[in-house]
């Protein structure tokens, strides 16, 4: 289910100079903001939770997920180079699964690691805030990568749709419309983080059992459907 050659090509595509700069911009901004906040306000658990929840988890993680998830396969479909990959004796689910693993790894490195560093800067992991949001970033990286990888296989405008979901649905509707929070990867990951935190600084509108089921379901279904879509692309090309 995992092909090293496909993984190497995907890593090379995702970590090219221009895309790497884009991926690194938001984590760098998070670290700068954390340093500034710590210098101005000192160590404060509530402030740390606000910064990590409001910027790291709500903005940085989904945007990085969009870049990594769609970038793992979208450009190959757009420029037609995916035909070369599909001509190899590889099972389509293997291609998708390999690209998903790469997208997850890249998203985790560029989101969870900076989140942990920022949390340690802000309050030294007081009340497990830094670790809780890091766990949330890790968990959401998996679901976001699967979701946006699927978008990359079904639409040439995957980045646009991904950003609409991340910035409009998750950030805007998720903060204004209570019902929308139930269908939010961010809220699902916060349910996991709430279990890790020592204090009620990290909260979620979704219970942990429901969040766990939804995280697994979205990841599995998105990966499966992406594999089916890739198979149909092969059949279309053969026809």
């Amino acid at each position: 289910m995992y092909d090293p050659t496909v993984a190497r090509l995907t890593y090379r595509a995702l970590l090219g100079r221009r895309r790497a700069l884009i991926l690194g911009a938001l984590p760098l901004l998070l670290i700068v903001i954390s340093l500034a906040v710590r210098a101005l306000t000192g160590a404060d658990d509530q402030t740390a939770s606000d910064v990590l929840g409001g910027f790291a988890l709500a903005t940085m993680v989904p945007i990085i997920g969009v870049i990594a998830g769609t970038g793992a396969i979208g450009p190959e479909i757009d420029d037609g180079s995916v035909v070369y990959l599909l001509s190899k004796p590889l099972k389509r689910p293997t291609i998708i699964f390999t690209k998903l693993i790469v997208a997850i790894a890249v998203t985790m490195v560029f989101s969870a690691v900076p989140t942990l560093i920022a949390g340690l800067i802000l309050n030294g992991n007081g009340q497990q805030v830094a670790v809780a949001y890091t766990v949330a970033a890790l968990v959401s990286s998996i679901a976001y990568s699967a979701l946006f990888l699927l978008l990359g296989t079904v639409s040439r405008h995957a980045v646009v749709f991904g950003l609409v979901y991340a910035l409009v649905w998750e950030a805007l509707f998720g903060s204004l419309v209570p019902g929308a929070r139930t269908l939010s990867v961010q809220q699902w990951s916060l349910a996991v983080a709430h279990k890790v935190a020592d204090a009620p600084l990290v909260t979620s509108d979704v219970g942990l059992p429901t969040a766990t089921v939804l995280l697994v379901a979205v990841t599995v279904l998105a990966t499966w459907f992406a594999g089916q879509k890739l198979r149909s692309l092969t059949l279309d090309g053969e026809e």
Side-chain angles (χ1 to χ4, degrees), residues 10-230:
T10 307
Y11 275 119
R12 186 179 301 172
L14 284 179
L15 300 178
R17 180 176 300 178
R18 185 175 65 177
R19 189 170 275 114
L21 289 175
I22 297 174
L23 284 169
L26 285 175
L28 179 60
L29 180 59
L30 173 63
I31 300 301
V32 171
I33 290 174
S34 300
L35 289 170
V37 170
R38 178 60 186 266
L40 293 172
T41 65
D44 181 76
D45 295 340
Q46 184 61 59
T47 300
S49 181
D50 292 341
V51 172
L52 296 180
F55 181 76
L57 197 62
T59 302
M60 183 185 73
V61 180
I63 290 179
I64 290 175
V66 170
I67 297 171
T70 61
I73 195 169
E76 292 175 300
I77 294 177
D78 291 342
D79 62 21
S81 61
V82 71
V83 174
Y84 171 79
L85 183 61
L86 297 178
S87 67
K88 301 300 180 182
L90 292 171
K91 294 181 179 179
R92 305 306 173 249
T94 297
I95 295 173
I96 289 296
F97 184 75
T98 301
K99 288 182 173 293
L100 175 62
I101 293 300
V102 173
I104 290 173
V106 170
T107 305
M108 284 182 172
V109 169
F110 282 91
S111 61
V113 174
T115 298
L116 178 60
I117 295 173
L120 293 176
I121 291 172
L122 287 165
N123 76 331
N125 194 37
Q127 301 191 65
Q128 295 292 310
V129 169
V131 171
Y133 278 104
T134 300
V135 170
L138 290 170
V139 170
S140 59
S141 292
I142 299 173
Y144 281 133
S145 296
L147 185 61
F148 297 134
L149 180 66
L150 171 61
L151 281 178
T153 64
V154 301
S155 174
R156 291 182 178 272
H157 307 290
V159 174
V160 175
F161 290 135
L163 289 176
V164 168
Y165 174 82
L167 300 179
V168 177
W169 181 265
E170 292 258 348
L172 182 59
F173 283 96
S175 62
L176 299 177
V177 183
R181 298 171 189 167
T182 306
L183 300 177
S184 167
V185 174
Q186 177 189 341
Q187 290 297 321
W188 304 341
S189 62
L190 281 172
V192 180
H194 175 70
K195 187 70 175 180
V196 176
D198 284 342
L201 291 171
V202 185
T203 60
S204 173
D205 292 337
V206 183
L208 182 60
T210 301
T212 302
V213 171
L214 290 172
L215 284 167
V216 173
V218 165
T219 302
V220 172
L221 290 176
T223 304
W224 175 83
F225 194 77
Q228 296 303 306
K229 177 60 178 178
L230 197 62

